[in-house]
Amino acid sequence: MTQVIGKPIKRKEDPKLITGHGQFTDDIKLPGMLFATMKRSRYAHAKIKRIHTAEALKLPGVMAVYTGKDVQDKIKPIRSIWLVPGCNLIPKDRIPLAVDKVNYAGEAVAMVVAESRYIAYDALELIDVEYEELPVVVDQEAALAEAAPVIYDDVPKNIAFTWKAGDVPEEVFINAEVVVKQRLVEQRVIANPMETRGAVASYNPGSGDLTIWCTTQNPHIHRITYADALGIPETKLRIIAPDMGGGFGAKIAVYTEEALVGLAAMQLKQPVKWVEGRQEHFLATSHARDQVITTELAGTKDGKILAIRAKNIANLGAYLSTMGAGVPTIDFGLMVTGAYDIPYAQAETIGVYTNTTPTDAYRGAGKPEASFQIERMINIFADKIGMDPVEVRKKNLVAKVPYTNAMGCNYDSGDYHGTLAKALEAIDYVGLKKEQEEARKNGRLLGIGISTYVELCGLGPSKVAGAIGFGGGLWENSSIRVHPSGKVTIFTGASPHGQGEGTTFAQVVADKFGIPLEDIEFVSGDTLIISMGWGTYGSRTTPVAGGALSIAADRIVEKAKIIAAHELGVPLEDVEFAKGIFSIKEQPDQQRTFKEIAWSANNAWNLPDGMEPALEGQSFFDPPDFVYPFGAHICVVEVDPDTGMVELKRYVCVDDVGRIINPMIAEGQVHGGLAQGIGQALWEQSVYSDKGQLLSGTFMDYAMPKARFFPMIESSFIESPSPVNPLGAKGIGETGTTAAPSVIVNAVIDALAPYGVKDLPMPLTPEKVWKAIHERSDGQ
Amino acid sequence: MIPTSFDYVRAASVPEAIQLLKNFNGEGKLIAGGHSLVPLMKFRITTPGTLIDISQIQELKGVSKEGGRLVIGALTTYAEALGDPLVAAHLPVLAEAIQKIADLQVRNKGTIGGNIAHADPAADLPALALALDAVVHITGEDGEERVPIQDFLFGPFMTALPETSIVTAVSFAIPPTEGKSTYLKYFHPASGYAVVGVAAVARKTADGVINHIRVGITGAGDCAFRAENVEKYLLGKTATLENISKAAQLAADEVDMGEDLFASSDYRRHLCEVYTERALRKVLL
């Protein structure tokens, strides 16, 4: 067997998916299955005076209509999992159906269960809800104002929490040669995976077992939460995440609808399915980002950064979602210094409730926001002191790892300067600067943007999870079962949903055992089959679950070796194992194959004394620290001065993501992340009216990036194994969203330099850019 | 989303379709490719009582040349028109525009007649139709009539089509052989519809005097329109950069611009000028 780690193997998952044989939640059809739909509030903030359901109930085929009052003593509020300590957090939990008051447009007020999806939708129109409108606040800064509407009586000024980390002595700023300050807006975006959310619940009244198939990135967290909410033992609830069409963080959150269909299935004793429509997804599934960050940077005239302090006002939406408090605090604050050796750092975050859809994690979760502000600040600082932004980066980049940043994060491995140098070479920075100079002479607006980002991934040590208020562990579980025939099944507690671990994990095991990839199956996403796990997010699957996998595989090899030594009649230390063959040193003809030992272990005819039969290995791996992928991204844009349109001409990225199992999958992750990161920089934006109506509520208005918007991505990797997990992997899923927004914005601002434009808020839509040019041209 | 319930009938001929429209008394709605109608039904913006499927009426398909015009059957799909040799030979600008309409799946199902009858203010074809002096062929209870496109379109999703009539074909004037034509489109990044789409057809004499000029603009306002002030300014003038630039500034004269999250009316007005100038340069220089 030749080594398969590091090879661009085609994904084992794909033949099924691309031939239409995937089993997604909406593909699940059970006998007698009913369909649920949700009546959603049309108002962003209103008292519910009365809900008339009689007409809907009269519609033939309608089995039940539930209102908030019907379910309030049957389903507990869905609790946020991340209660960040030390910030006076007032959590406002989602309740299954609003009872007295709705707090955002789209909040569910009633559920219809009917014999068909058609009837269930028709019945929604027969439900009449009487509302009394209340004043609305959608913007977090406006929500802090003295006269702003208050959403919760016990949350003064709508402030959910005030969090702070790090401390910069005031004199650092007072004495600094240069101080720059900028308000930067991370606009609200919506994840929009191809598959919207959904759930199918099936209940056995005889045994009391409830099974919910649903779109989740972390089925075990869903099980803990829903068992608690529904008041049933964890052991009576099985959560299955079938095939999923992406999640991007939006399917981490634990929502209410899945619990509602669970309740309906229990009460009606028939399976119940609910699947979001796309418009419903826009309203009901968590939004993301929406942070207003004001950063001050103190430095010297020759480009050394002394301190950074960031103040973040985060829009939490109407309720505290699953990770809602952690994203703009811990995930953001610990990384405000980026990849730079900055002695002092401070981050403060105010979490604010508003009459909007709750916000939660989205690809990168907090790290893209941290990266955006520091990468923009570097350029603004460079502009202020008249230095090339690349030179400022060179002056301040972490020189040597391991390195502990001002917030206490331990950057694990790699050469930060070398990575930048490689990217500069790849794009020919020197040549490019000359080209830009020439272009400017001809009135062309060419811009160069750069980011030397770093992110915190591979969540994470459970001790840290506990210390930061995360309501669970962050270790991971992988087990490997070697069947009598020598075929292998991998089980993992992570729950990949498009990232390709069905292939990459098989590559790891194929190399460990010296067996073909075809012999290896991969199972995840089922709480009955997988004992425990914490799910897939935070680029943790390969570093953490992959770490567990590697250890589990080693345990199997260790046992198999003992069996081989026993069968060959030699001491253990004389047995060598390579490429699937156990052989005796200096007697290569004496050997056993992995397959033979698998059979021996399983038949147990002749095992060493005291050895238990079978060949299975499991590991619960709790990583000693986080991993820190980093890299250098550089792009070239050209702005059309007549229209303001931004053309992305080149995008070069050099990422150090540790050891790479499958370069093709890794590159795919880079492409996907960049599409979303560039999407945020240029097109995507969730917009509310003052009345709290989501104006960007369909794909007619919300600009998801299309393939034709992008040039060929010039991606390459540097592999510096991380010391904190056995595979040396750092995680790659979120590099694109972390790096790209600042790369693009830096490039566009650079392109607009002839007009003196210093900053523009994302997304950099053509009109915004055109206006900036237009205003400046008029003024000249 | 899922549409409300509706009945479905299939019409085998044009007279039958007209009779059915009459029978359903305003509750019937014709469906051909369904690519504009079905999304509206799913949003429950449109809730027709009965869909009258005309997609199998063979006589409404195909392209023919009649004198100086190409007549395109209403049920001809975008993809069929794109692959038609007569279109390639005589209306290459239509092929250029069709390639900018939506995506492959939509082009395979969506029809030329459906597009014109739907009168979406951001659709691409109306700009072409205006620039190519299109005539809409209508059959109704009282027989056939032919309505110039400018009289046919009169508002967003509003046309001169009587309730019990159907569009059977759209004919386009074949541009002068020695002239040039183009369609330039500014894509909406979300929907892919035209924020502004400019179709221009022009011809000039050997000494550079413009003797034929048509400019149709879609997307920018409530309804596609002909930039008549641009045309008037240029007709009889020499095709110079300066003349083009001056003419382009008249592109959205006296026309109300639309507005959405992506583009304000000021910006749309500006884009009309920029895209008109670019289109004119292409066809006149």
Side-chain angles (χ1 to χ4, degrees), chain A residues 226-291:
Chain A
Y226 290 140
D228 175 56
L230 290 165
I232 58 176
E234 202 178 345
T235 45
K236 288 288 182 195
L237 179 59
R238 178 183 186 186
I239 301 285
I240 301 173
D243 286 328
M244 271 167 65
F248 308 114
K251 292 173 181 170
I252 298 171
V254 187
Y255 298 88
T256 54
E257 292 90 347
E258 293 83 346
L260 283 163
V261 293
L263 177 75
M266 288 164 78
Q267 294 212 330
L268 301 171
K269 299 183 174 54
Q270 276 177 272
V272 180
K273 176 191 277 187
W274 164 79
V275 175
E276 255 180 1
R278 181 61 64 180
Q279 281 173 293
E280 193 176 15
H281 175 86
F282 270 101
L283 294 170
T285 293
S286 58
H287 295 179
R289 310 283 194 257
D290 206 348
Q291 298 170 22

Side-chain angles (χ1 to χ4, degrees), chain A residues 117-118 121-123 125 277-279 640-645 683 685 687 695-706 708-709 765-767 770-771 774, chain B residues 1-6 42-45 47 102 120 122 185-193 259-268 270-271 274-275 278:
Chain A
R117 197 175 272 177
Y118 292 86
Y121 273 106
D122 287 345
E125 297 188 356
R278 181 61 64 180
Q279 281 173 293
D640 179 340
D642 293 334
T643 62
M645 226 184 250
W683 305 291
Q685 175 166 230
V687 183
L695 301 177
S696 54
T698 71
F699 283 143
M700 291 295 283
D701 286 304
Y702 188 90
M704 289 297 282
K706 323 285 187 287
R708 65 181 161 82
F709 294 4
T765 56
E767 179 167 5
W770 171 72
K771 268 190 177 152
H774 200 60
Chain B
M1 275 293 280
I2 280 178
T4 53
S5 75
F6 55 86
K42 285 179 150 189
F43 286 146
R44 297 192 173 204
I45 291 170
T47 54
D120 190 314
K185 175 176 179 177
Y186 183 116
F187 289 81
H188 193 295
S191 66
Y193 278 84
E259 191 156 36
D260 70 358
L261 290 179
F262 177 70
S264 70
S265 53
D266 282 352
Y267 183 54
R268 280 170 196 266
H270 170 74
L271 288 178
V274 171
Y275 274 65
R278 288 178 182 181

Side-chain angles (χ1 to χ4, degrees), chain B residues 82-129:
Chain B
L82 185 61
D84 189 278
L86 286 174
V87 171
H90 301 290
L91 282 180
V93 67
L94 183 65
E96 180 191 346
I98 286 174
Q99 283 169 305
K100 295 174 180 168
I101 295 175
D103 53 39
L104 194 61
Q105 286 93 332
V106 173
R107 293 196 291 270
N108 282 337
K109 289 294 284 181
T111 64
I112 303 283
N115 180 295
I116 294 293
H118 187 60
D120 190 314
D124 300 290
L125 281 190
L128 269 291

Side-chain angles (χ1 to χ4, degrees), chain A residues 479-483 489 491 552-553 555-556 559 601-602 613-618:
Chain A
S479 59
I480 302 168
R481 183 175 301 160
V482 183
H483 301 279
T489 306
F491 301 87
R555 287 178 181 160
I556 285 172
K559 179 171 176 178
N602 277 285
L615 197 54
E616 293 193 17
Q618 184 165 28

